[in-house]
Amino acid sequence: MNEVLNVDLQFKLKFEFISSLHSYICRKSHRKIDLTPHWAEEIKRRITPEFAAMLDEMEINADWKLAYLLIVMSKHAETPEEVIAWLEGMTPGNLYEWFAPYVGQFPEHMGNFQSQMIKVFTEWNRQYFESCSPAVHEALKQHLADRTAEKKKMNKAEFIDDTTGGFVFDSTGGADTLLLVPQYHFQPVNLIYHFGSVLFCHYSSRIDLSDEDFMSMHDYRVLRSLAEKSRLKILRYLQDGPKPFIEIVRELKLSKGITHDHISKLRSAGLIYAHFQGENLTGYSTRMKGLEQMQDKLVNFITH
């Protein structure tokens, strides 16, 4: 963590805009996110068939990372509308120059990429995000205010851990700023991208907007994540220190897919640390803090 010179905490409407679009496009995550596949199915019924077909062809690939970059690093813009207006005013040549400090790979046809992103951003904003519940934005703003207050009480490593629920940056990959942005749509999954001097982390805010008279969705997730023998074995195996994924596979003697699913559930519950070098995940270790918090919350729920 010594390489991180600055920890920046932000929330702007454009960030949740791209998180919501990412949540829809990332089809393999629909069963993992709190919004569930029903959310994506409902959105598909609401948007036009033409736009649905366009989104169905999009993938979470190198071009999508550049789409995220347009949102994150357009520092003068705070709303989707402002990002779209800025992008419309750029030429393909301008975009090559603008991308250069952040990435080394460009779209095959910059003009086509630009036109597609303008279309996708405009239609997603018009057909979905403009009508997104204001409660989501208000909850994220309140979360930002709460986190900003907590930031003054902790050192950097503690704050990053507490905010992200278990991220450890052993190396920043040369970045000098860690930009932490809370998101609602893609929770409990997180996203990390390295853009030049900025390491961008779209982390799960663990916001629960349901009115159910029960423990929060996150707290319930923690309890459910422990109800499996292999996951308990993982926690015991990782308590001695960070281990790469392949070593966990060998220890459990399970397939990579099943092991990955177990680890994902423990990560989402905040019960293991995820160790990063830049945006690259290198290993996992047991997060005792998460287990202790779980015990306190369970006792509190039962006794009150």
Side-chain angles (χ1 to χ4, degrees), residues 2 52 149 164 175 183 204 208 245-246 254 272 290 292 295 297:
N2 291 335
T164 62
Q183 54 86 10
S204 172
D208 186 355
F245 174 74
I246 193 62
L254 296 173
I272 57 177
E292 293 164 0
Q295 180 178 344
K297 289 178 179 178

Side-chain angles (χ1 to χ4, degrees), residues 65-76:
K65 181 177 179 179
L66 294 178
Y68 232 99
L69 171 59
L70 291 172
I71 296 290
V72 174
M73 301 308 293
S74 52
K75 299 178 181 179
H76 59 286

Side-chain angles (χ1 to χ4, degrees), residues 55-71:
L55 294 181
D56 285 346
E57 293 179 0
M58 296 188 70
E59 301 289 342
I60 306 300
N61 54 20
D63 278 2
W64 179 247
K65 181 177 179 179
L66 294 178
Y68 232 99
L69 171 59
L70 291 172
I71 296 290

Side-chain angles (χ1 to χ4, degrees), residues 39-52:
W39 172 79
E41 292 161 4
E42 180 186 345
I43 298 305
K44 191 164 189 174
R45 287 192 294 268
R46 284 171 47 185
I47 63 181
T48 64
E50 175 193 13
F51 187 44

Side-chain angles (χ1 to χ4, degrees), residues 38-265:
H38 299 297
W39 172 79
E41 292 161 4
E42 180 186 345
I43 298 305
K44 191 164 189 174
R45 287 192 294 268
R46 284 171 47 185
I47 63 181
T48 64
E50 175 193 13
F51 187 44
M54 177 182 289
L55 294 181
D56 285 346
E57 293 179 0
M58 296 188 70
E59 301 289 342
I60 306 300
N61 54 20
D63 278 2
W64 179 247
K65 181 177 179 179
L66 294 178
Y68 232 99
L69 171 59
L70 291 172
I71 296 290
V72 174
M73 301 308 293
S74 52
K75 299 178 181 179
H76 59 286
E78 298 196 358
T79 67
E81 294 85 358
E82 290 173 348
V83 173
I84 294 166
W86 164 74
L87 187 55
E88 288 175 333
M90 298 284 274
T91 66
N94 292 151
L95 282 176
Y96 276 115
E97 293 178 3
W98 187 85
F99 278 135
Y102 304 117
V103 293
Q105 184 177 353
F106 304 101
E108 186 175 354
H109 300 289
M110 184 65 80
N112 293 343
F113 170 80
Q114 179 185 18
S115 298
Q116 182 188 35
M117 288 303 103
I118 291 173
K119 174 74 171 177
V120 169
F121 288 172
T122 300
E123 291 305 313
W124 183 255
N125 192 46
R126 184 178 67 84
Q127 297 190 41
Y128 174 71
F129 194 71
E130 283 182 343
S131 60
C132 184
S133 172
V136 172
H137 310 318
E138 292 306 315
L140 286 166
K141 290 176 184 176
Q142 184 58 54
H143 171 89
L144 181 72
D146 295 341
R147 286 283 86 204
T148 300
E150 290 299 314
K151 185 180 178 183
K152 300 173 183 178
K153 306 175 185 177
M154 305 178 186
N155 64 41
K156 289 180 182 179
E158 290 172 333
F159 179 73
I160 293 169
D161 170 28
D162 194 62
T163 300
T164 62
F167 281 12
V168 178
F169 292 94
D170 299 318
S171 166
T172 63
D176 59 23
T177 297
L178 176 64
L179 175 55
L180 295 172
V181 176
Q183 54 86 10
Y184 170 81
H185 279 81
F186 204 46
Q187 59 183 2
V189 191
N190 308 281
L191 184 71
I192 296 177
Y193 279 141
H194 185 185
F195 297 132
S197 63
V198 175
L199 193 60
F200 172 79
C201 176
H202 225 165
Y203 70 88
S204 172
S205 61
R206 302 186 289 280
I207 290 171
D208 186 355
L209 297 179
S210 66
D211 6 358
E212 186 179 3
D213 185 18
F214 192 58
M215 65 175 61
S216 73
M217 186 176 293
H218 174 74
D219 292 347
Y220 187 47
R221 179 186 298 113
V222 176
L223 293 176
R224 286 185 293 131
S225 72
L226 292 172
E228 214 286 335
K229 185 188 301 184
S230 294
R231 292 174 208 155
L232 295 174
K233 288 182 178 179
I234 289 173
L235 290 174
R236 184 171 61 181
Y237 178 61
L238 295 179
Q239 57 92 23
D240 289 332
K243 301 286 195 307
F245 174 74
I246 193 62
E247 288 189 21
I248 303 172
V249 172
R250 291 171 183 154
E251 174 71 15
L252 291 182
K253 297 179 174 61
L254 296 173
S255 71
K256 291 182 180 179
I258 292 175
T259 303
H260 184 270
D261 183 67
H262 288 321
I263 289 175
S264 294
K265 287 182 168 56

